[in-house]
């Protein structure tokens, strides 16, 4: 009986180890191994319509999570090559109640949103964004060829011209009405460039500002159906850390 | 060694009191058991009823619609109805625990109890009471439910769309004739990411989904319905108290299920008319407006 | 006690084994076989179907899982006899005895073994393993929920843990009594030498063992996002983890079906002379009713999961509305399984608990026929209540009334269980040993679970409580606080018979108090969360729910500590507890009348049942449950 119990204990421990390894693996693999990008301070200015501390964050969306960005880093270490991803990280940090200006460089192609609501800019200063195109050769869905923007503030894009969106939601009980939605128009060479080199690849640079809410961890995600399966929200969209992340407001 | 070496070692027949002492004492002892249990039962029943009546409204949030208050009433009434039965079970268990005569001799089994194999009166009355209770619960439930099925001739239409992981609302252009003869007009279709409802106006939610199943749960309206892709689920209510609450997603819908909520308010109909007249511009609460925090 | 004759028998059995592969099969060769065939089919998949952009990965995972399950069972020897027959050989007497574990000492616990007591013990170990995994996952969930805006786990990991915690616990609770005790104890209780189909019995345990690794594998392929109910279309949208999950269920259903048929046929055909239906212990009835209900419920689960694998790996669209399917189809078939399944979980432990109540109150079962009727009534009604899980889905709103009716009707037979429990206790002598502690805890927990259940059966109240923490607390009160506590009472009751050792009651009582208090704190706090309106299965929540979540988490840690102390008591007593007498509780049912440890084929003499097993306090002749040895008149007196 002793031998049996020793072995039984080993099985039990083994099971616990398997469970913990599984949990540990998933906790590690499905979290954000790429660190936190802290906002750069620009002092205090009137960007958000009144005198507020002004900070800025810059990041990009890539069509290929395993690709290398323009500073030679892999977008998503160990990332799935057929999945798009935000980069260099998906976790950002900004001070509470500060004026936050984001620059998102959009390298990916795109198509139609599931819900046209997300083609409207919402919750930014003036409810607008400005987009500057570079090297884009793809046509817009209304026939505009090529689909380019000149940096004039716009309040919406065509719902069928979306590449991705940056949709930052509020926190229950902390910032209940907070919501920022910014559509990122599609980009890309006709060949469908995947890599994301600022110097040589087609891209749309989207700039917008908003006032951060109170302290808390805010979740953002992309509302463009860039995954597979039902409604295009399977695969990458169900995998945390590619097209979803957090904004830590501290 | 024989397999039945142990069989039959314990032949202690219940020391039937009838055989040893006067039948009168037996009855008295039996009554003593009944009386002891009844005290515990009465205490627990009163406790249960009081808890049902006075604890329920404290535990549950203030509700903004008749449907919401019906949920609170149901919890109250069901607790009160269940209290005597639950208390009886507890009372017998507690009494038998208090009355256990063999605490100090745990190593060997106590003398056998009386061989009661059933009692037609006890079983019969238990069945009758529990059946009556079920009939009452059903009657209560169906009455409440039927009263919620009333379809108002005219109701404010609100289209609710669930998608991963956000609720959006659209108010189609419409003119609602209110029960008093007044009208409420939505001049131009409006999209919103918050839910605002005019007080005392019947509302019809048309709930659907763009992708997977979500649970549309405007908490303090006491109604709930799934947002299924390709299906229009109709929910009706009439908010009759002003206030703010949240719409929460009650059906797990993937990664950001926890973040799928919206702020909802019941506002005076004048405020609603003014708000809706702004068109899309007024719908979305901009970050500029919440500087300094809403709370 | 090994006689020379027995030793010669062992020599024959083991001696003839030399050189033959199947005499060396065990858990290890099972693992090798599973990993080997899984790897082969994975390779096959990689080089044939993986180029399909939509279904490639899911097809490969399907093939791998298929390889694992078949390979494991080939490796462990599940199909040996069948393969022999297919190849035209018959099983020799030696083969049969080898399969029964003769002469293999403790190593038979690691093998395909047809002895029902070995199978029961294997089940018991598996149940411990599953509860340990499920409990560990529960602790992760409660740790994440300690603070409202926690980032201890990413939302994906959190969902994966919630789903696998749920399914691990469901599997564990389904088999926690029907596995160990319906296998080990139930055949002895009816005076049988073994189960009706010993090979199927051995198959059921190894098939279920092979179902566990796919469940754990979900963590490594993206995790299941959809909760244990895996509502479609979310579960169709999920990654290949859902395929692993479905394979667990399909394999599990095969095992449960086989086990259910076995229980049913065993009781129908293997009873000792005189063991009429009206003399059968309540636990035997409970095992039969639970098993039969499982036979009704589980195939629906198999069907649902087969369609799910098909949606994933071949692009059918049973559950995708955009392509003509429906999520309601999933929900209906799921709950047609899911609600009877609740009673598949509940009925056997309740049967075990009734044995405990009768033995420790030193009284006959109160209203024996009513409780049998109640269990049959519950089983019958439970197949007609499934849509009460779907009151808020928008499906068939006109059926809300009928389903409210059937759901509330089920509280009548459930009430009878309470009546019989308190009737059995009433004026009893109440020997307060450890099983009885858990018995009292069951009564309280099941009252709370039952009363909160009637709120949920009411449509207007369900419109508030559905999908919120109230439901979570409710079903933990019924399944953990009810079924699992009753099963624990049964475990403490039968522990001396299964292990041959007495359970350390002092440590056991310490565990009891931790469990009892931890449980109430955890789930009363969750009821409060539900009343206030906190949704289920959320990784983050509004800070207004923070205090009760902290309380609930602390309660959960205490609860887990209690289980660990109980596990310690079980393991240490199993190793070095005092040797148990054959009948430590002076109980009357047959399992206590045979030796401990129970010999192969259970009884050394013929058994003839003359009364039911509840003759406590009766006249001397009614106290005798069975007589042993050949008493020819008794043989012919009460045949079945």
């Amino acid at each position: 009986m002793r031998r049996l119990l020793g072995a039984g204990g080993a099985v039990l421990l083994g099971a616990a180890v398997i469970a913990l390894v599984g949990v540990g693996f998933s906790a590690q693999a499905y979290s954000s191994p790429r660190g936190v990008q802290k906002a750069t301070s620009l002092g205090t200015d009137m960007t958000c319509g009144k005198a507020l501390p002004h900070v800025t964050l810059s990041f990009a969306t890539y069509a290929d999570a395993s690709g290398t960005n323009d500073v030679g880093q892999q977008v998503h270490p160990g990332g799935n090559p057929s999945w798009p991803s935000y980069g260099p990280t998906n976790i950002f940090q900004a001070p509470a109640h500060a004026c936050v200006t984001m620059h998102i460089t959009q390298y990916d192609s795109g198509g139609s949103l599931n819900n046209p609501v997300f083609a409207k800019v919402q919750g930014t200063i003036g409810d607008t964004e400005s987009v500057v195109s570079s090297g884009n050769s793809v046509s817009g869905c209304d026939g505009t060829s090529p689909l380019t923007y000149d940096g004039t503030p716009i309040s919406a894009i065509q719902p069928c011209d979306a590449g991705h969106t940056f949709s930052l939601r509020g926190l229950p009980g902390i910032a209940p009405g907070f919501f920022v939605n910014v559509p990122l128009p599609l980009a890309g060479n006709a060949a469908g460039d995947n890599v994301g080199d600022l110097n040589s690849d087609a891209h749309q640079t989207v700039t917008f500002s908003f006032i951060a809410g109170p302290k808390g961890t805010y979740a953002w995600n992309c509302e463009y159906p860039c995954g597979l399966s039902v409604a295009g929200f399977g695969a990458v969209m169900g995998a945390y850390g590619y097209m979803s992340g957090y904004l830590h407001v501290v | 060694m024989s397999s039945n070496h142990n069989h039959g070692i314990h032949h202690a027949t219940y020391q039937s009191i009838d055989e040893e002492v006067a039948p009168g004492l037996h009855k008295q002892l039996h009554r003593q058991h009944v009386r002891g249990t009844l005290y515990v039962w009465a205490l627990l029943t009163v406790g249960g009823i009081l808890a049902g009546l006075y604890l329920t409204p404290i535990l549950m949030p203030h509700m903004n619609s008749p449907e919401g208050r019906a949920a609170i009433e149901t919890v109250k009434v069901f607790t009160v109805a269940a209290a005597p039965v639950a208390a009886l079970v507890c009372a017998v268990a507690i009494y038998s625990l208090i009355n256990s005569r063999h605490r100090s001799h745990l190593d060997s089994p106590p003398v056998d109890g009386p061989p009661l194999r059933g009692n037609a009166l006890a079983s019969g009355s238990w069945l009758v009471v529990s059946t009556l209770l079920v009939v009452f619960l059903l009657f209560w439930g169906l009455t409440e439910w039927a009263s919620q099925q009333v379809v108002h001739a005219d109701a404010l239409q609100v289209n609710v769309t669930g998608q991963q992981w956000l609720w959006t609302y659209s108010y189609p252009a419409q003119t609602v004739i209110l029960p008093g003869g007044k009208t409420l007009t939505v001049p131009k279709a409006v999209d919103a990411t918050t839910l605002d409802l005019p007080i005392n106006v019947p509302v019809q939610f048309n709930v659907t989904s763009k992708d997977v199943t979500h649970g549309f749960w405007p908490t303090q309206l006491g109604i709930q319905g799934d947002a299924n892709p390709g299906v229009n689920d109709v929910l009706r209510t009439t908010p009759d108290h002003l206030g703010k609450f949240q719409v929460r997603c009650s059906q797990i819908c993937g990664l950001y299920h926890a973040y799928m909520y919206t702020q909802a308010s019941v506002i005076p109909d004048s405020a609603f008319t003014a708000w809706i007249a702004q068109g899309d511009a007024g719908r979305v609460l901009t970050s500029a407006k919440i500087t300094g925090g809403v709370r | 006690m090994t006689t020379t004759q027995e030793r010669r028998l062992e020599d024959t059995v083991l001696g003839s084994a030399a050189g033959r592969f199947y005499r060396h099969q065990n858990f290890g060769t099972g693992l090798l076989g599973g990993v080997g065939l899984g790897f082969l089919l994975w390779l096959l998949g990689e080089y044939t179907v993986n180029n399909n952009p939509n279904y490639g990965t899911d097809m490969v995972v399907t093939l791998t899982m298929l390889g694992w399950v078949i390979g494991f069972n080939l490796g462990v020897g599940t199909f040996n006899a069948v393969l022999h027959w297919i190849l035209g050989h018959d099983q020799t007497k030696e083969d049969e005895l080898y399969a029964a574990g003769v002469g293999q000492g403790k190593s038979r616990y690691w093998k395909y073994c047809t002895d029902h007591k070995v199978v029961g013990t294997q089940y018991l170990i598996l149940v411990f393993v599953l509860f340990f995994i499920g409990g560990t996952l529960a602790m992760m969930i409660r740790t994440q929920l300690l603070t409202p805006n926690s980032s201890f786990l990413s939302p994906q990991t959190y969902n994966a843990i919630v789903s696998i915690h749920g399914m691990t616990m469901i599997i564990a609770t389904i088999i926690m009594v029907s596995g160990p005790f319906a296998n080990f104890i139930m055949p002895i209780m009816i005076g049988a030498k073994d189960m009706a189909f010993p090979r199927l019995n051995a198959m059921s345990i190894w098939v279920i063992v092979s179902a566990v690794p796919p469940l754990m594998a979900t963590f490594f392929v993206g995790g299941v996002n959809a909760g244990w109910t895996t509502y479609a279309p979310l579960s169709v949208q999920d990654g290949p983890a859902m395929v692993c999950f479905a394979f667990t269920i399909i394999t599990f259903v095969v095992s449960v079906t086989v086990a259910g048929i076995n229980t049913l046929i065993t009781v129908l055909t293997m009873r000792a002379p005189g063991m009429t239906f009206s003399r059968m212990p309540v636990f035997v009835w409970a095992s039969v009713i639970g098993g039969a209900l499982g036979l009704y419920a589980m195939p629906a689960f198999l069907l649902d999961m087969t369609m799910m694998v098909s949606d994933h790996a071949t692009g059918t669209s049973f559950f995708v509305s955009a392509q003509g399917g429906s999520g309601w189809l999933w929900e209906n078939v799921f709950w047609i399984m899911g609600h009877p399944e609740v009673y598949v979980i509940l009925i056997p432990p309740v049967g075990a608990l009734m044995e405990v109540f009768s033995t420790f109150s030193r009284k006959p079962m109160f209203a024996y026929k009513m409780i049998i009727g109640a269990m049959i009534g519950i089983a019958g009604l439970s197949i007609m209540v499934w849509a009460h899980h779907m009151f808020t889905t928008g499906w068939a709103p006109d059926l809300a009334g009928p389903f409210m009716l059937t759901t509330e009707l089920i509280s009548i037979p459930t009430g009878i269980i309470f009546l019989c429990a308190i009737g059995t206790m009433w004026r009893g002598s109440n020997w307060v040993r450890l099983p009885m502690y858990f018995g009292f805890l069951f009564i309280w927990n099941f009252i709370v679970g039952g009363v909160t259940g009637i709120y949920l059966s009411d449509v207007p109240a369900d419109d508030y409580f559905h999908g919120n923490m109230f439901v979570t607390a409710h079903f933990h009160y019924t399944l953990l606080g009810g079924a699992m506590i009753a099963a624990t009472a049964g475990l403490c009751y039968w522990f001396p018979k299964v292990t041959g050792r007495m359970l350390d009651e002092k440590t056991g009582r310490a565990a009891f108090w931790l469990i009892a208090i931890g449980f109430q704190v955890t789930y009363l706090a969750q009821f409060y969360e539900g009343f206030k309106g906190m949704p289920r299965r959320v990784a983050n929540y509004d800070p207004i729910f923070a205090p009760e979540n902290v309380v609930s988490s602390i309660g959960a840690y205490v609860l887990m500590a209690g289980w660990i102390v109980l596990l310690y008591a079980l393991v240490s007593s199993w190793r070095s507890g005092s040797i148990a007498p054959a009948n430590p509780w002076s109980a009357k049912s047959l399992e206590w009348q045979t030796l401990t440890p129970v010999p192969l084929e259970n009884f050394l003499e013929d058994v003839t049942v003359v009364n039911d097993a509840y003759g406590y306090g009766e006249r001397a002749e009614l106290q005798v449950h069975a007589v042993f040895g050949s008493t020819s008149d008794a043989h012919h007196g009460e045949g079945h």
Side-chain angles (χ1 to χ4, degrees), chain B residues 46-61:
Chain B
V46 171
I49 290 175
L50 290 179
L53 290 179
Y54 295 104
L55 211 53
T56 316
I58 300 172
L59 292 176
M60 293 178 73

Side-chain angles (χ1 to χ4, degrees), chain C residues 29 44 120 227 328 452 468 543:
Chain C
T29 54
L44 181 74
W328 283 338
T452 51
N468 90 19

Side-chain angles (χ1 to χ4, degrees), chain B residues 110-149:
Chain B
V111 177
D112 288 357
L116 307 172
R117 284 175 174 273
N119 180 316
L121 184 65
S123 305
S125 42
W126 181 278
L127 266 182
V128 169
V129 170
S130 57
T131 308
L132 287 177
L133 269 177
V134 165
V135 170
F136 167 72
L137 299 185
L138 191 70
F139 179 76
W140 172 274
L142 287 177
T143 314
E144 290 265 301
W145 186 67
S147 73
Q148 296 178 5
Q149 302 309 304

Side-chain angles (χ1 to χ4, degrees), chain C residues 175-249:
Chain C
I175 63 168
M176 70 186 164
V177 170
S178 64
F181 304 124
N183 270 312
F184 196 117
I185 301 292
M186 192 274 289
I188 316 181
M189 264 184 158
I190 59 170
K193 290 179 173 173
D194 203 319
M195 299 289 278
F197 304 112
R199 277 193 201 87
L200 286 184
N201 204 25
M203 175 184 167
S204 79
I205 176 71
W206 288 113
V207 167
I208 208 169
V209 166
S210 69
V212 177
L215 198 61
M216 297 303 126
T218 56
F219 285 118
F220 298 90
V221 285
V224 175
N225 247 320
W228 84 273
T229 53
T230 54
Y231 269 23
L234 178 61
S235 46
V236 177
Q237 196 190 64
D238 253 340
M242 195 54 215
V243 174
C244 301
F245 189 87
F247 257 90
T248 296
I249 304 306

Side-chain angles (χ1 to χ4, degrees), chain B residues 3 6 10 13 30 37 61 79 96 106 111-113 117 126 138 141 164 217 224-226 228 246 248 254 259, chain C residues 159 237 362 392-393 415 427 429-431 433 455 458 463-464 466 531 533 540 542 593 612 614 617-618 623:
Chain B
S3 69
N6 223 329
H10 193 68
T13 307
H30 186 83
T37 311
T79 310
S96 98
L106 280 178
V111 177
D112 288 357
R117 284 175 174 273
W126 181 278
L138 191 70
Q164 289 168 317
W217 180 30
Q224 189 177 155
D226 279 3
N228 298 292
Q246 286 176 11
R248 301 196 177 98
Y259 291 97
Chain C
N159 285 351
Q237 196 190 64
R362 316 305 301 169
T392 66
T393 57
R427 292 170 62 201
S429 297
N430 202 352
W431 191 14
R433 298 292 293 265
Y455 308 151
D458 182 89
D463 282 347
Y464 182 74
H466 177 84
F531 275 123
N540 299 288
D542 190 320
Q593 315 310 324
D612 74 6
Y614 303 118
E618 296 275 17
Q623 291 218 7

Side-chain angles (χ1 to χ4, degrees), chain C residues 456-518:
Chain C
L456 295 172
S457 72
D458 182 89
V459 180
D462 190 58
D463 282 347
Y464 182 74
F465 291 117
H466 177 84
N468 90 19
M469 289 303 284
F470 191 88
V471 177
T472 308
H474 159 72
F475 70 72
H476 279 92
Y477 255 95
T478 53
L479 293 184
L480 167 52
M484 198 171 152
I485 291 297
T488 310
L491 174 64
C492 298
Y493 176 56
W494 282 311
F495 186 84
K497 183 55 68 177
V498 172
T499 65
R501 306 274 183 165
M502 293 306 288
L503 182 58
D504 170 10
E505 288 210 14
K506 208 174 156 212
T507 320
R509 280 198 296 273
F512 168 83
W513 287 111
L514 288 173
I515 290 170
I517 294 165

